[in-house]
Amino acid sequence: SPLADDESGGENLDDVGDDPFSMIAGPRIPQEVLFDNVAVGGTFDGMHYGHRKLLTLAISSVNPMTGRLMVGVTVDEMLTHKAYSEQIPLYDERMKGARDFVYRFAPGMKNRISFIPISDAFGPPGTQSDGASFDALVLSHETLENGYKLNEHRKDVLNMEPLTLLCTRRTEPHGMSSTALRRLRSQRTTSDVSDNTANEAVANNSS
């Protein structure tokens, strides 16, 4: 789903530093292509390069004077189906990572940015009550097809105009998806456990 499911391209784990601002990229948005109410959402698992690029595009797409941005973070219950879901941080940690990045990147927009939990496929842009207020959705190229599904839902079910879909592209040569990064973390955890078990066995045999 466009808001509840994000597998934005990341980067090798060895390239991830402590500072989420160390690698920020995204297209510049022409002044005439800005929006009044933009939505973006995802798991935001680890706030890797792809997530930062996604949020950067979302912030850059908002009219800086009057526009609003809604950031949706998928609740834990929606993630149990994902591969290596045990490696996904809990909702509060993922929400904090997204909020910290956005507030540090766009401190002047704090009063026009909202953060909400996402517990269904489409979030507020796919509802009768709130859908009409949105005019753009930011998503990654992996989830572009889901954006099309949201627009079909808006037109066929809600009788609303489709959203403008703003899509990031994976430009980094060694980019990895959230799933691939979780798989590496899982493998490293398993390897660490095996190493510790082996070391304990050696220590016991030596004693």
Side-chain angles (χ1 to χ4, degrees), residues 9 16 35-36 38 54 79-80 84 94 99 149 183-184 193 199:
V16 182
F35 299 89
D36 293 321
V38 177
L54 191 74
L79 303 176
T80 56
Y84 308 100
R94 294 181 288 109
R99 182 186 289 114
K149 292 179 181 178
R183 182 175 65 250
L184 284 179
V193 170
N199 291 336

Side-chain angles (χ1 to χ4, degrees), residues 75-160:
V75 298
D76 297 329
E77 293 76 11
M78 293 281 288
L79 303 176
T80 56
H81 70 284
K82 283 182 172 289
Y84 308 100
S85 60
E86 72 280 0
Q87 295 293 328
I88 300 177
L90 294 177
Y91 169 82
D92 287 344
E93 180 180 342
R94 294 181 288 109
M95 172 64 83
K96 181 179 184 300
R99 182 186 289 114
D100 287 350
F101 175 84
V102 170
Y103 280 171
R104 287 178 61 189
F105 190 73
M109 290 180 58
K110 276 189 177 182
N111 63 341
R112 289 184 285 116
I113 301 175
S114 61
F115 295 85
I116 67 166
I118 296 294
S119 56
D120 59 68
F122 297 138
T127 64
Q128 192 71 56
S129 58
D130 300 317
S133 63
F134 292 94
D135 53 4
L137 172 68
V138 175
L139 66 175
S140 65
H141 69 283
E142 291 95 342
T143 57
L144 183 58
E145 184 64 31
N146 297 322
Y148 295 144
K149 292 179 181 178
L150 170 59
N151 275 342
E152 290 176 2
H153 173 77
R154 287 173 61 90
K155 290 186 292 182
D156 299 341
V157 179
L158 304 180
N159 195 29
M160 292 180 183

Side-chain angles (χ1 to χ4, degrees), residues 6 22 29 53 60-62 68 77 82 87 96 98 102-103 109 118 141 149 155 166 168 172-173 196 204:
D6 168 49
S22 61
I29 306 299
K53 185 163 63 174
S60 303
S61 304
V62 177
R68 304 187 67 84
E77 293 76 11
K82 283 182 172 289
Q87 295 293 328
K96 181 179 184 300
V102 170
Y103 280 171
M109 290 180 58
I118 296 294
H141 69 283
K149 292 179 181 178
K155 290 186 292 182
L166 305 173
T168 64
E172 58 276 16
N196 290 336
N204 290 334

